[in-house]
């Protein structure tokens, strides 16, 4: 790799308009449907970017390598560590996971990616023929191009899969630079290593076997199985949407919102984080492939769409909470610019990302506003509004449009259509008295529906294993605009008298590197198949907390330190939507503690699985603790939830269960 070159991270050079407007990063499906010329350039530009020789500092290979393997300094920026192992340089990488720098460090990293991709897009646009105005058309489209994101928490368009086909198809149709429509290898589906086996020592033996990035690789052949992703995302979409809504509308402290490091002072309402949700997507889309491992995840093209969405969610949250930012705390390990124990703060250099002057590194304070790098998001067009209050009101409406206004509206959107029994019950709009009298019949229907749903999942999975994914045309996907959700649906209002109800969550904490590998804690409400291979598709699967652990032999310096220090991380699984499912099914009376506590005591379960799909004895997971908490929520006239942020913990629900929280345990 090239060394000792100071590479200025500028993002796309942008001159804001007179009102401050900058180009937008768009959602992938929006880009494909409504901006086909830019989408076409995106595919061609990404292919060009991925083809650059890996010796180039701004090649796809080197930019992806900043995130982990091959653990070599980028642009001559070392990372001092207090360890070395035979055959290595002792370089420990630039890892900021589970730290206050997690989301801020990734912003200039994404700006570097976008900067390099933009250059490739411009180069491609200039190759189109002048005849017929093609070059002029594509040069104009390229001018305001920005890298898109994949919003994995929003409802997919009606009839579309939760994982866009533009990401899963192995080939895709484009208008090439000669003006002809062609089928090419889909650059969004995988990155092909070239040479197939990069320089000796760039990758560990576990990863050097792959000719390209893979998702859900077959254990025998190593072939990617992208078709498994969509049903997994769909099955836990209710939990995912609720988690994102909870983070954006409930969390008010930057540290709690941004990263997943747990400490004894963590509030029961702060176990979740954007990093926790981010981890779940790495897990759900990777399936023990490249996206599942932080050391190689950046080589998967999906990584960039995922992280741009994480950056977007931070932008939305920051605009709603402009006065909250990171609290200084001791650096967990030494780097090129800081010594272990020194304060990490908004002014800590974000290495290896040089600012425009190349005299200093970017800092978190400097990158707090996305327009610094010449972009905004559809929800953060602040130049359209005359006041901060008007702007924030518009953002909240955007959040509720995408993720549901409240748990009741979300339930109808996400869960009710999953079984005929639930759908019929909700559509009928019966009064509470009628619903209670019919509960026994409905419970039988629901029980049968659960069994049928589980069987359908198994059959669908078997069929999808055999189906070859079709070619995707640039103009095929038709999106449908979301509509804002209103107050509580009429037939569920009895559960929130005066607009007030009790919201329930499951909190999980464990040592991040305690198993020397990644694992997930899967939460169930009700019975489930004991075979861990089925858990991703279980009807009664409520959600998961994914822990991206590493082995003691990792070359990541921070991870080795975190391992030695017994770093504990945490996450949250929203529970209320699953409880509503049981209420409509006649298995539960209300969301009140006196009803929910015995129900959870009898039906709440959790299991631990490794990323390779094998079950792991949860009692051997260091510091694993599972607890249940609740808070009071008030829904206003527009259907927006207002969280009290005063949480009650219920050890009586989890006491005596494996790794369950007990009265004497610290929360």
């Amino acid at each position: 790799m090239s060394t000792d070159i100071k590479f200025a991270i500028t993002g796309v050079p942008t001159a804001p308009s007179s009102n401050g407007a900058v180009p937008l990063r768009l959602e992938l499906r929006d880009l494909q449907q409504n901006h086909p010329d830019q989408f076409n350039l995106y595919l061609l530009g990404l292919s060009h970017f991925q083809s650059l020789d890996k010796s180039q500092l701004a090649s796809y290979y080197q930019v992806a390598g900043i995130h982990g393997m091959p653990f070599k300094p980028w642009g001559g920026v070392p990372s001092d560590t207090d360890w070395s192992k035979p055959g290595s340089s002792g370089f420990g990488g630039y890892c900021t996971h589970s730290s206050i720098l997690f989301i801020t460090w990734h912003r200039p990293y994404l700006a570097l990616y976008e900067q390099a991709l933009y250059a490739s897009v411009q180069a491609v646009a200039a190759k189109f023929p002048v005849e017929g105005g093609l070059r002029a058309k594509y040069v104009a489209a390229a001018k305001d191009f920005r890298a898109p994101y994949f919003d994995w928490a929003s409802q997919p368009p009606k009839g579309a899969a939760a994982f866009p086909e533009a990401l899963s198809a192995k080939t895709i149709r484009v208008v090439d630079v000669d003006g002809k429509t062609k089928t090419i290898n889909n650059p969004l589906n995988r990155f092909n290593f070239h040479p197939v086996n990069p320089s000796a020592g760039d990758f560990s033996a576990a990863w050097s076997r792959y000719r390209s990035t893979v998702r859900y690789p077959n254990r025998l052949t190593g072939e990617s199985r992208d078709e498994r992703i969509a049903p997994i995302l769909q099955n836990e979409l209710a939990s995912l949407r609720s988690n994102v809504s909870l983070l954006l509308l409930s969390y008010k402290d930057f540290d709690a919102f941004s990263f997943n490091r747990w400490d004894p002072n963590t509030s029961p309402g702060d176990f979740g984080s954007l990093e926790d949700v981010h981890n779940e997507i790495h897990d759900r889309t990777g399936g023990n492939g490249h996206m599942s491992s932080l050391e190689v995840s950046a080589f998967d093209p999906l990584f960039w769409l995922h992280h741009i969405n994480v950056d977007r969610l931070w932008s939305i949250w920051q605009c709603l909470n402009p006065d909250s930012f990171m609290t200084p705390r001791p650096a967990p390990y030494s780097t090129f610019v800081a010594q272990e124990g020194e304060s990490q703060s908004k002014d800590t250099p974000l290495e290896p990302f040089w600012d425009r002057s190349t005299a200093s590194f970017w800092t978190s304070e400097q990158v707090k506003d996305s327009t610094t790098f010449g972009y905004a998001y559809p929800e953060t067009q602040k130049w359209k509004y005359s006041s901060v209050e008007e702007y924030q009101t518009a953002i909240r409406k955007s959040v509720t449009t995408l993720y549901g206004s409240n748990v009741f509206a979300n339930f109808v959107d996400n869960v009710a259509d999953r079984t005929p029994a639930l759908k019929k019950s909700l559509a009928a709009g019966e009064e509470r008295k009628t619903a209670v009298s019919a509960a026994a019949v409905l419970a039988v229907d629901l029980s049968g529906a659960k069994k049928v749903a589980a069987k359908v999942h198994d059959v669908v999975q078997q069929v999808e294993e055999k189906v070859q994914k079709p070619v995707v045309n640039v103009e095929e996907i038709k999106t449908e605009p979301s509509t804002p959700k209103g107050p509580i649906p009429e037939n569920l209002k009895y559960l929130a008298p005066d607009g007030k109800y009790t919201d329930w969550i499951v909190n999980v904490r464990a040592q991040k590197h305690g198993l020397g590998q990644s694992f997930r804690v899967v939460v169930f409400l009700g019975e489930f198949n004991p075979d861990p291979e089925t858990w991703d598709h279980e009807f009664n699967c409520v959600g998961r907390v994914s822990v991206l652990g590493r082995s003691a032999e990792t070359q990541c310096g921070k991870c080795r330190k975190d391992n030695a220090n017994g770093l504990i991380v945490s996450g949250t699984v929203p529970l209320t939507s699953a409880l509503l499912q049981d209420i409509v099914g006649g298995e539960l009376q209300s969301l009140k503690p006196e009803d929910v506590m015995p129900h959870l005591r009898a039906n709440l379960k959790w299991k631990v699985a490794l990323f390779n799909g094998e079950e792991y004895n949860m009692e051997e997971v260091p510091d694993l603790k599972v607890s249940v908490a609740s808070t009071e929520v008030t829904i206003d006239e527009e259907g927006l939830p207002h969280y009290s942020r005063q949480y009650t913990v219920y050890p009586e629900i989890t006491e005596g269960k494996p790794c369950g929280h007990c009265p004497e345990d610290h929360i």
Side-chain angles (χ1 to χ4, degrees), residues 190-417:
R190 63 196 178 279
F191 169 65
N192 296 310
F193 294 101
H194 52 90
V196 172
N197 294 310
S199 304
D202 274 13
F203 293 98
S204 65
W207 296 109
S208 61
R209 63 179 287 221
Y210 295 108
R211 295 172 176 266
S212 66
T213 55
V214 293
R215 303 165 190 158
Y216 285 86
N218 183 289
R219 294 187 186 184
L220 297 178
T221 66
E223 291 296 313
S224 194
R225 298 180 293 174
D226 293 67
E227 67 275 6
R228 299 193 65 177
I229 300 174
I232 290 172
L233 285 177
Q234 187 64 50
N235 195 49
E236 297 178 42
L237 185 60
S239 172
L240 193 57
R241 294 186 78 204
S242 296
N243 232 339
V244 169
S245 180
L246 182 72
L247 285 167
L248 294 178
L249 299 178
S250 170
Y251 281 54
K252 303 300 179 184
D253 177 75
F254 177 88
D255 292 3
F257 166 80
S258 64
F259 71 106
N260 67 351
R261 189 186 194 103
W262 177 89
D263 67 53
N265 296 316
T266 299
S267 161
D270 292 335
F271 270 57
S273 66
L274 185 55
E275 184 174 13
D276 170 41
V277 174
H278 146 275
N279 290 350
E280 291 181 33
I281 301 303
H282 274 283
D283 177 12
R284 288 172 178 160
T285 60
N288 214 32
H290 287 76
M291 270 294 284
S292 299
S293 171
L294 295 178
E295 294 181 317
V296 294
S297 58
F299 289 97
D300 189 326
L302 176 60
F303 172 93
W304 305 99
L305 291 109
H306 165 43
H307 265 276
I308 291 175
N309 193 46
V310 171
D311 182 84
R312 166 181 160 268
L313 294 175
W314 170 33
S315 291
I316 291 171
W317 183 91
Q318 196 69 71
C319 291
L320 291 174
N321 302 274
D323 298 326
S324 180
F325 206 41
M326 59 181 62
T327 304
R329 59 186 64 209
Y333 80 116
S334 296
T335 69
F336 178 55
V337 293
Q339 294 298 310
E340 180 180 353
E342 289 182 2
S343 179
Q344 270 188 342
S345 70
K346 64 183 182 179
D347 299 316
T348 297
L350 301 175
E351 59 178 5
F353 307 121
W354 295 103
D355 65 15
R356 293 184 178 90
S357 71
T358 67
S360 305
F361 295 107
W362 287 104
T363 67
S364 299
E365 177 67 22
Q366 292 171 327
V367 305
K368 189 177 178 183
D369 190 330
S370 73
T371 59
T372 298
F373 291 119
Y375 70 89
Y377 294 101
E379 300 85 2
T380 62
Q381 301 178 66
K382 58 185 175 184
W383 54 86
K384 288 186 171 183
Y385 305 95
S386 58
S387 68
V388 172
E389 182 180 6
E390 183 185 358
Y391 176 42
Q392 291 181 337
T393 298
I395 291 177
R396 290 189 185 93
K397 287 183 178 179
S398 294
V399 170
T400 59
T401 296
L402 289 168
Y403 310 117
S405 58
N406 59 70
V407 69
F408 300 100
N410 289 357
F411 170 72
V412 174
D413 283 347
N414 299 325
V415 179
D417 284 343

Side-chain angles (χ1 to χ4, degrees), residues 287-562:
N288 214 32
H290 287 76
M291 270 294 284
S292 299
S293 171
L294 295 178
E295 294 181 317
V296 294
S297 58
F299 289 97
D300 189 326
L302 176 60
F303 172 93
W304 305 99
L305 291 109
H306 165 43
H307 265 276
I308 291 175
N309 193 46
V310 171
D311 182 84
R312 166 181 160 268
L313 294 175
W314 170 33
S315 291
I316 291 171
W317 183 91
Q318 196 69 71
C319 291
L320 291 174
N321 302 274
D323 298 326
S324 180
F325 206 41
M326 59 181 62
T327 304
R329 59 186 64 209
Y333 80 116
S334 296
T335 69
F336 178 55
V337 293
Q339 294 298 310
E340 180 180 353
E342 289 182 2
S343 179
Q344 270 188 342
S345 70
K346 64 183 182 179
D347 299 316
T348 297
L350 301 175
E351 59 178 5
F353 307 121
W354 295 103
D355 65 15
R356 293 184 178 90
S357 71
T358 67
S360 305
F361 295 107
W362 287 104
T363 67
S364 299
E365 177 67 22
Q366 292 171 327
V367 305
K368 189 177 178 183
D369 190 330
S370 73
T371 59
T372 298
F373 291 119
Y375 70 89
Y377 294 101
E379 300 85 2
T380 62
Q381 301 178 66
K382 58 185 175 184
W383 54 86
K384 288 186 171 183
Y385 305 95
S386 58
S387 68
V388 172
E389 182 180 6
E390 183 185 358
Y391 176 42
Q392 291 181 337
T393 298
I395 291 177
R396 290 189 185 93
K397 287 183 178 179
S398 294
V399 170
T400 59
T401 296
L402 289 168
Y403 310 117
S405 58
N406 59 70
V407 69
F408 300 100
N410 289 357
F411 170 72
V412 174
D413 283 347
N414 299 325
V415 179
D417 284 343
R418 294 176 66 191
T419 69
L422 292 178
K423 187 174 182 179
K424 181 178 179 180
S425 175
L426 286 169
E430 297 174 336
E431 296 295 329
R432 172 61 173 163
K433 182 177 180 180
T434 305
V436 171
S437 66
V441 175
L442 187 57
V444 173
D445 289 345
L446 181 66
S447 177
K450 288 181 178 180
K451 293 177 182 177
V452 171
K455 183 65 176 176
V456 168
H457 276 309
D458 291 342
V459 173
V460 168
Q461 183 176 346
Q462 293 170 15
V463 171
E464 287 178 333
E465 294 277 345
K466 301 176 182 178
V467 175
Q468 183 176 356
K469 303 303 287 185
V471 170
V472 178
N473 191 294
V474 168
E475 302 173 309
E476 275 185 349
I477 292 183
K478 304 296 182 185
T479 58
E480 294 185 3
S482 301
T483 54
K485 308 303 179 194
I488 306 171
E490 282 296 325
N491 50 344
L492 295 178
K493 280 187 175 180
Y494 72 91
L495 295 172
D498 300 320
K500 297 180 180 180
Y501 74 96
T502 305
D503 193 63
W504 296 83
I505 57 175
V506 173
N507 285 329
V508 177
R509 61 176 170 89
Q511 274 196 37
K512 180 174 182 177
H513 304 291
L515 301 187
Q517 59 185 310
S518 296
F519 62 96
R520 66 182 71 98
V521 180
V522 187
V523 178
F524 303 93
L525 188 58
E527 298 303 318
F528 59 93
N529 192 321
D531 180 2
E533 289 288 339
T534 69
W535 293 350
D536 286 333
H537 303 278
E538 280 290 331
F539 186 90
N540 286 331
C541 174
V542 178
R544 72 181 70 189
V545 172
S546 302
V547 181
L548 303 184
R550 296 186 181 179
S551 75
E553 297 304 311
T554 179
Q555 199 166 330
C556 174
K558 179 181 183 300
C559 298
R560 290 170 69 95
K561 274 286 186 182
D562 288 344

Side-chain angles (χ1 to χ4, degrees), residues 618-637:
M618 69 180 82
E619 295 187 275
E620 295 180 5
V621 179
D623 292 316
L624 175 61
K625 229 23 133 169
V626 179
S627 57
V628 174
S630 74
T631 189
E632 297 306 307
V633 181
T634 301
I635 298 176
D636 64 23
E637 293 181 356

